[in-house]
Amino acid sequence: MKSKIQFILSMIIFGTMGLVVRYIDLSSSETALLSSSIGCLFLIVVFMMMKKTIPWKLVKANAYTLFLSGIALGGNWIFLYQSYNHTTLTNATLGYYFAPVFVGILSPFVLREQLSVKKMVCIGVAIIGMVLIVGNGISASGTDELLGIFFGLVAAA
């Protein structure tokens, strides 16, 4: 039961992030720095409460990977927050949730998986669905929408 509550709380926090970020009067990079700093402080407090230490040998052994992961995550947040500033929360989130489609498209090249007909149909349907939903929103509003959707897709990538 405890894990279900934690999962629900994490989904509520992530789900309301767009609403909060949209009304913060900071640039996307400043917002990403602020949110990651808050997360870092939170994790330090959790580590201290659990009386755990950071395994520095493991950190040093994986420093390069951790550094690249930090850059990727920071870029992800910057593009997502920029997407929230340029388009509706719906379109930004739709672009951001397009990440599994990118994984499906790249899986034959990166993971050496075979792209089955079922996967290709699912990818095609997802792309068509996104074009139909986003296309309707773009025709009703300005060109800033397209830039916001692009930022959402870059964050997903």
Side-chain angles (χ1 to χ4, degrees):
M1 184 66 175
K2 182 180 175 184
S3 61
K4 287 182 182 180
I5 292 172
Q6 289 173 336
F7 180 75
I8 291 169
L9 285 174
S10 69
M11 291 295 101
I12 290 171
I13 290 168
F14 189 77
T16 58
M17 186 175 62
L19 290 171
V20 173
V21 167
R22 179 164 245 177
Y23 296 107
I24 294 176
D25 194 25
L26 295 172
S27 70
S28 298
S29 57
E30 292 170 334
T31 307
L33 178 65
L34 179 66
S35 61
S36 60
S37 298
I38 291 169
C40 181
L41 290 174
F42 178 78
L43 288 176
I44 288 171
V45 169
V46 168
F47 260 70
M48 289 171 61
M49 288 174 53
M50 295 176 67
K51 297 180 181 169
K52 291 202 173 192
T53 60
I54 297 173
W56 290 109
K57 285 184 182 180
L58 196 59
V59 170
K60 286 180 184 179
N62 295 299
Y64 182 73
T65 305
L66 290 170
F67 182 74
L68 290 179
S69 297
I71 290 173
L73 185 60
N76 173 280
W77 284 349
I78 290 169
F79 282 111
L80 178 61
Y81 296 161
Q82 195 68 20
S83 178
Y84 288 147
N85 291 331
H86 286 281
T87 187
T88 64
L89 294 177
T90 305
N91 285 344
T93 303
L94 181 65
Y96 188 66
Y97 286 166
F98 212 65
V101 175
F102 290 141
V103 172
I105 292 170
L106 294 174
S107 66
F109 307 106
V110 177
L111 304 173
R112 306 281 188 240
E113 288 185 0
Q114 188 173 357
L115 199 58
S116 66
V117 175
K118 182 179 177 182
K119 287 180 187 177
M120 288 189 287
V121 168
C122 290
I123 290 169
V125 169
I127 292 171
I128 291 168
M130 182 174 181
V131 168
L132 290 174
I133 292 171
V134 170
N136 191 23
I138 291 173
S139 64
S141 63
T143 58
D144 210 28
E145 291 284 321
L146 193 57
L147 184 61
I149 293 164
F150 172 75
F151 284 141
L153 290 171
V154 171

